[in-house]
Amino acid sequence: MNLSKRSFLALACSGALALSLIAGCVPASPAAKAQDEAQAANRAYMSSVNETMSDLDKGLEEFVTAVSRNDVVTMQTQAERAYKAIDKLKETDAPEALADIKNDYVEGATKLQEALNDYIALYTEMQAAQSTGSFDFSTFGTRVAGVQQKYDEGVAALKKADEAAAALQ
């Protein structure tokens, strides 16, 4: 009798194992499959955003280096590199669940682009005026404050997008 109990237990365990293996092979429900696809789309979009933001960051780092060297040509080149990253960000399709996050990223990047444009314009005017002495320094502080404000707004929008994306996980 002791042997038959063991045989019964072994058979029951084998049956439970077989049922669990079969259950693992059953296709997921349509709702679960849709949720998995949505999560995959969200991850793919965020991966694309991370790559684009990395490209933007590299362009901005090189822009700062060009500013420190007083190299207007490189400033413009690196600003163009940043603009390409911003355009890529704008063109990347976001899943519906991430539409607001995309809007914040685009808003932040656009503000950064405006700040770069304004900075380059100001710097170019100053450099051109060195030979003629015609730069209006009475507006310098206001213009620099405007550049800083756009930059700060851009960073705030990017931070908001990052925080919203982190909250989804």
Side-chain angles (χ1 to χ4, degrees):
M1 187 103 173
N2 197 6
L3 184 60
S4 66
K5 283 184 182 181
R6 277 193 239 163
S7 298
F8 178 73
L9 241 107
L11 183 61
C13 287
S14 297
L17 181 60
L19 285 175
S20 68
L21 288 173
I22 291 171
C25 295
V26 173
S29 69
K33 187 175 180 180
Q35 183 179 12
D36 288 346
E37 289 173 358
Q39 288 175 347
N42 290 350
R43 283 191 301 273
Y45 174 74
M46 290 308 300
S47 176
S48 177
V49 167
N50 286 334
E51 180 182 314
T52 301
M53 295 307 288
S54 178
D55 291 344
L56 176 60
D57 189 47
K58 288 175 188 172
L60 293 175
E61 285 176 13
E62 292 296 322
F63 180 85
V64 169
T65 301
V67 168
S68 69
R69 292 190 319 245
N70 295 320
D71 184 353
V72 178
V73 173
T74 304
M75 277 186 233
Q76 291 171 332
T77 301
Q78 294 309 318
E80 287 297 321
R81 179 179 179 182
Y83 300 160
K84 287 178 185 176
I86 292 167
D87 289 342
K88 182 179 176 184
L89 182 66
K90 290 176 182 177
E91 294 168 2
T92 303
D93 291 328
E96 187 177 325
L98 301 179
D100 290 340
I101 292 172
K102 177 185 178 178
N103 290 339
D104 289 338
Y105 277 122
V106 169
E107 177 188 343
T110 299
K111 287 291 185 182
L112 291 178
Q113 183 174 6
E114 292 171 6
L116 285 174
N117 285 335
D118 292 352
Y119 185 84
I120 291 171
L122 175 61
Y123 193 87
T124 303
E125 282 179 43
M126 286 178 56
Q127 194 172 45
Q130 282 180 348
S131 61
T132 62
S134 62
F135 185 76
D136 182 8
F137 280 97
S138 67
T139 64
F140 180 77
T142 304
R143 290 177 69 185
V144 168
V147 169
Q148 186 66 49
Q149 180 180 355
K150 287 179 183 176
Y151 176 82
D152 291 344
E153 290 171 358
V155 169
L158 293 174
K159 183 177 179 182
K160 179 181 173 188
D162 284 343
E163 289 170 353
L168 289 177
Q169 295 177 358

